[in-house]
Amino acid sequence: MNRVLDRLWIGSTADLEARVPLRSLGFTGVVDLRDGDLPGPRQVEVLRIRNRDGDPWSEKQVSEAMKFILDHVRKGRVLVACVAGMSRSASIVIGYLVRCGTDLPTAYGMVLSARPQIFPLPKMLESVLKVAQEVTSHSPSGRGVGALLPRHKS
């Protein structure tokens, strides 16, 4: 689990299944983005949003995640987690930062700095940013999020 901001963290299944209760670490909420019926953490409020890795998010899913994060960062720490903590959780955390007024390159850099293994898939990140606000106005040269994403080596 990695700290993006004092009250906003990004992680994976391993963090959701850790033996140390999240409540004891100051967490009040978890956005669980794993697909399937996996057990979630106890002692904290959990928002479960199922989405296959790579599929775009719906407006409803993004809005629910943003509202939940906003409500819970006021009370304590929030963990946004998916299976590997690389794409689904990264796209939601980046979108949340953009929604709060951070420009896209800075938001992406903040999450990448906190968790170097992130690799948000373009369709997921674009669908989050569409809801979070103005994708092209925050991206370099108006080229969309693809200009920020690392390229797959062939």
Side-chain angles (χ1 to χ4, degrees):
M1 154 171 38
N2 305 92
R3 182 177 78 81
V4 177
L5 298 171
D6 184 50
R7 292 184 173 207
L8 180 61
W9 293 63
I10 184 171
S12 67
T13 292
D15 303 313
L16 296 176
E17 296 175 352
R19 291 184 180 204
V20 176
L22 291 171
R23 171 75 68 193
S24 70
L25 300 174
F27 288 90
T28 61
V30 168
V31 179
D32 183 349
L33 303 170
R34 299 174 297 167
D35 193 26
D37 292 319
L38 302 168
R42 297 181 182 156
Q43 300 180 350
V44 294
E45 188 174 346
V46 177
L47 173 65
R48 186 74 181 265
I49 301 176
R50 291 177 177 85
N51 198 24
R52 288 185 331 177
D53 204 16
D55 286 351
W57 299 98
S58 72
E59 182 176 338
K60 180 181 178 203
Q61 289 172 318
V62 175
S63 296
E64 286 177 354
M66 300 291 163
K67 181 179 181 336
F68 185 91
I69 294 168
L70 183 60
D71 290 347
H72 283 80
V73 295
R74 294 175 177 155
K75 303 174 193 173
R77 293 180 176 160
V78 178
L79 173 62
V80 180
C82 59
V83 173
M86 294 175 60
S87 182
R88 285 173 275 196
S89 56
S91 65
I92 292 293
V93 171
I94 291 166
Y96 176 78
L97 294 170
V98 168
R99 181 122 190 205
C100 291
T102 305
D103 64 83
L104 178 55
T106 301
Y108 187 92
M110 289 170 67
V111 179
L112 182 64
S113 177
R115 192 168 179 90
Q117 68 266 42
I118 67 163
F119 196 86
L121 297 172
K123 284 183 182 178
M124 298 198 91
L125 185 56
E126 287 171 359
S127 62
V128 169
L129 293 172
K130 183 178 178 182
V131 176
Q133 306 284 359
E134 318 158 57
V135 177
T136 54
S137 69
H138 291 298
S139 60
S141 306
R143 293 178 292 178
V145 299
L148 289 174
L149 300 177
R151 303 280 182 231
H152 285 290
K153 294 182 181 178
S154 357

